[in-house]
């Protein structure tokens, strides 16, 4: 799927993980990709990856990556980011809201009141930051009828990591629906994508610690780039407005577009992993 350098994209939270993979895939599709993050040098974070390394890897693969240090918990820095994009290009074609605060205790067992209170930080950089980024992106997205994507997960509809995580994911899903209503006259499509289990730096570290325990899960992982391939296909789809306001499993949307992951296979849909699948039969939020 080729978008071309005329396509200007922004992926937030792209130092590593899902954001990095999405940015790489959009770069492979030819887009000019702005990538944001807080990590400037290796060692600044517990996991490997920096925003500059992501941009450089995009460039090495033949795309154009532009790194911008941005704390998405700081509204002034976010406003400056979009002012920079407006000054450089005057528009934005794709915004991927992916920045997310992942507290160390997120996967800790037990009820929410026995966990650290800072788990609710995910409602700041995650839920609130997606709203703020969309707010500043809107005037740029409507210039040519762009695409806004919120990365999400089935945690918005099922119990996963507790109520703070669930509220954050449910919130970005509902924002996709409601922002689509406001954007519809301007032909800006808005969707929320439920990603599967991703082979990120964090996941690989967990798997490496106990490979026997996670053997079955390892067979189901998606590359972080797969979601980016789905987003590129959606951006190139002339009928994308028919999908606006909806929530999709990335694997199922990828199947509709005939996409494959980096290993050549189509990742399985996580739909059946969540018990009573009937609650996921119709994902569209009304």
């Amino acid at each position: 799927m080729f978008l071309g350098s005329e396509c200007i994209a922004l992926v937030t939270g792209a130092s590593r993980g899902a954001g990095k993979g999405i940015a790489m895939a959009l770069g492979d599709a030819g887009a000019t990709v702005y990538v944001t993050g807080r990590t400037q040098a290796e060692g600044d974070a517990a996991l490997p990856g920096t925003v500059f390394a992501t941009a450089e890897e995009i460039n090495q693969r033949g795309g154009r990556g532009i790194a911008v240090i941005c704390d998405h918990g700081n509204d002034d820095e976010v406003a400056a980011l979009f002012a920079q994009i407006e000054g450089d290009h005057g528009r934005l074609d794709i915004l991927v809201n992916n920045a997310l605060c992942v507290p160390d205790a997120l996967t800790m067992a037990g009820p929410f009141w026995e966990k650290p209170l800072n788990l609710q930080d995910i409602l700041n950089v995650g839920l609130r930051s997606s709203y703020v980024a969309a707010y500043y992106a809107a005037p740029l997205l409507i210039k040519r009828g762009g695409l806004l994507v919120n990365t999400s997960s089935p945690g918005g509809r099922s119990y996963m990591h507790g109520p703070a995580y669930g509220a954050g994911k449910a919130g970005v899903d509902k924002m996709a629906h409601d922002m689509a209503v406001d954007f519809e006259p301007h032909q800006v499509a808005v969707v929320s994508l439920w990603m599967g289990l991703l082979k990120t730096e964090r996941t690989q570290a967990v798997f490496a610690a106990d490979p026997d325990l996670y053997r079955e899960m390892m067979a189901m992982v998606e590359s972080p780039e797969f979601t980016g391939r789905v987003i590129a296909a959606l951006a190139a789809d002339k009928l994308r407005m028919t999908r606006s306001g909806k929530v999709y499993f990335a694997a199922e949307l990828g199947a509709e577009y005939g996409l494959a992951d980096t290993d050549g296979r189509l990742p399985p849909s996580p739909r059946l992993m969540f018990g009573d699948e009937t609650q996921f039969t119709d994902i569209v939020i009304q």
Side-chain angles (χ1 to χ4, degrees), residues 230-242:
V230 174
I231 293 170
L234 185 58
D237 187 349
K238 294 181 179 179
L239 298 178
R240 65 177 178 269
M241 285 302 297
T242 63

Side-chain angles (χ1 to χ4, degrees), residues 5 62 81-82 107 114 142 154 175-176 183 185 200 221 227 236 238 277:
S5 60
L81 163 67
F82 286 98
T107 59
E114 294 179 358
I142 66 177
M175 277 199 292
F183 273 128
T200 63
V221 294
T227 302
K238 294 181 179 179
E277 75 240 54

Side-chain angles (χ1 to χ4, degrees), residues 28-122:
D28 286 347
T32 295
V33 189
Y34 285 79
V35 293
T36 66
R38 294 183 301 169
T39 309
Q40 302 185 48
E42 292 290 354
D44 288 351
L47 293 169
T50 74
V51 67
F52 297 113
T54 297
E56 179 57 27
E57 191 168 345
I58 292 171
N59 295 333
Q60 289 178 358
R61 286 167 57 161
R64 185 184 180 203
I66 302 172
V68 181
I69 296 297
C70 180
D71 179 354
H72 283 273
N74 184 317
D75 292 356
D76 291 338
E77 291 189 20
V78 176
L81 163 67
F82 286 98
Q84 177 180 340
I85 295 173
E86 181 175 25
D88 290 346
H89 303 283
R91 69 180 194 283
L92 180 66
D93 299 300
I94 302 172
L95 167 62
V96 181
N97 278 322
N98 176 74
L100 182 70
C101 172
V102 182
D104 291 337
L106 181 66
T107 59
M108 177 180 171
F112 74 91
W113 60 88
E114 294 179 358
K115 302 177 186 180
L117 186 58
N118 71 358
L119 257 67
Q120 51 79 36
D121 287 348
I122 205 168

